[in-house]
Amino acid sequence: PASSLTQAVSTIAERARHAAWLSGTQPPWQPGMSVNTLRQSAAANTLTSHHCQTLLRSLARSQRLAGEPGTALRAAAEAAGRARTRWLGLARALDQVTTTSHQQPPSPVAAEVDDLTLWTGRLAHTYPGWTPASRSRGATPGDAPAREPGEMAGVLAAVFDACDAMTRIAAADRRQVHALAGAGRLLAAAGPDPATLDLLGPVAPARADRIGALLTLYQYTAQASAEATATVSAAATAARV
């Protein structure tokens, strides 16, 4: 049932927030932390923010809200879309760096991020068996089933929690990038073209400008996720749920 799916998303989002908070108390290179893990987190959050955008669009479309509530829902969907764009850009930027160790188990944050993607996807598709590997089951990309009027409060609460969790995850992952760079474990191509990473060629500690650009991307991504959180809250207020 949709009510169970929304509760699941909110529960997992709280776990993700807690894992992100705990990561700030751990050693800079905690177990499971690598660029592969960070890239996995960014890719998963790209999907999660897309699911949030889909859910918000579905609410705006199915409720046929006019005036301020409808405008607020559409603004929230656009903000979630901007967060998705930021996470996608971050995932691509992480393709250009690596770490000294590739074979690491997922970090606690990464595990929760994957769960958040799974359950927001199930909520967006109203299909309890959905996984990122699932086929579209006849739906076109970006579509979501129509929502019943009574679902709005639960869906908005779940999307709010998911966006808030992604904001905290971006900040936590940014701290890990800073720590990896400080320990000399963040590597990039050592050739003449620093924009290209050849895993078969020589690598060296990433230059300061590369590190700074990556940290800035994390900052922008956290800001975009925070803006999505705020606009979802504003939509809930406008819809009086």
Side-chain angles (χ1 to χ4, degrees):
S3 59
S4 297
L5 291 171
T6 56
Q7 184 176 0
V9 170
S10 293
T11 298
I12 293 162
E14 178 57 29
R15 292 208 318 251
R17 282 191 291 255
H18 184 65
W21 175 78
L22 282 179
S23 73
T25 68
Q26 301 298 315
W29 39 87
Q30 58 181 292
M33 186 50 58
S34 67
V35 163
N36 283 350
T37 295
L38 293 165
R39 189 184 300 112
Q40 174 188 346
S41 176
N45 283 319
T46 301
L47 270 178
T48 298
S49 51
H50 172 66
H51 295 156
C52 291
Q53 181 184 24
T54 299
L55 285 162
L56 292 164
R57 283 178 171 173
S58 176
L59 284 176
R61 185 170 60 245
S62 61
Q63 302 301 327
R64 294 182 175 85
L65 294 176
E68 184 182 0
T71 300
L73 276 173
R74 288 187 288 273
E78 291 173 1
R82 290 191 293 272
R84 174 192 174 276
T85 300
R86 286 296 186 186
W87 280 110
L88 179 59
L90 186 55
R92 288 173 174 168
L94 288 165
D95 283 337
Q96 306 303 317
V97 292
T98 188
T99 42
T100 53
S101 177
H102 299 287
Q103 302 300 323
Q104 291 278 359
S107 69
V109 174
E112 302 299 352
V113 167
D114 283 346
D115 277 352
L116 192 59
T117 298
L118 178 67
W119 286 93
T120 53
R122 291 179 175 182
L123 178 59
H125 294 86
T126 61
Y127 173 46
W130 183 91
T131 70
S134 296
R135 294 190 176 183
S136 64
R137 296 174 60 87
T140 56
D143 280 352
R147 299 287 163 180
E148 298 296 329
E151 293 183 76
M152 178 176 285
V155 171
L156 283 176
V159 172
F160 174 89
D161 287 336
C163 290
D164 184 53
M166 287 189 288
T167 303
R168 297 168 190 260
I169 290 163
D173 285 356
R174 185 181 187 276
R175 289 194 298 268
Q176 292 300 330
V177 168
H178 191 274
L180 287 169
R185 294 182 57 202
L186 193 67
L187 309 177
D193 182 6
T196 302
L197 176 63
D198 181 2
L199 293 178
L200 300 178
V203 294
R207 299 185 327 197
D209 58 343
R210 169 64 60 81
I211 296 168
L214 191 55
L215 292 173
T216 299
L217 279 177
Y218 268 104
Q219 183 178 348
Y220 289 158
T221 302
Q223 290 172 351
S225 298
E227 288 170 5
T229 307
T231 57
V232 172
S233 178
T237 300
R240 298 182 180 178
V241 298

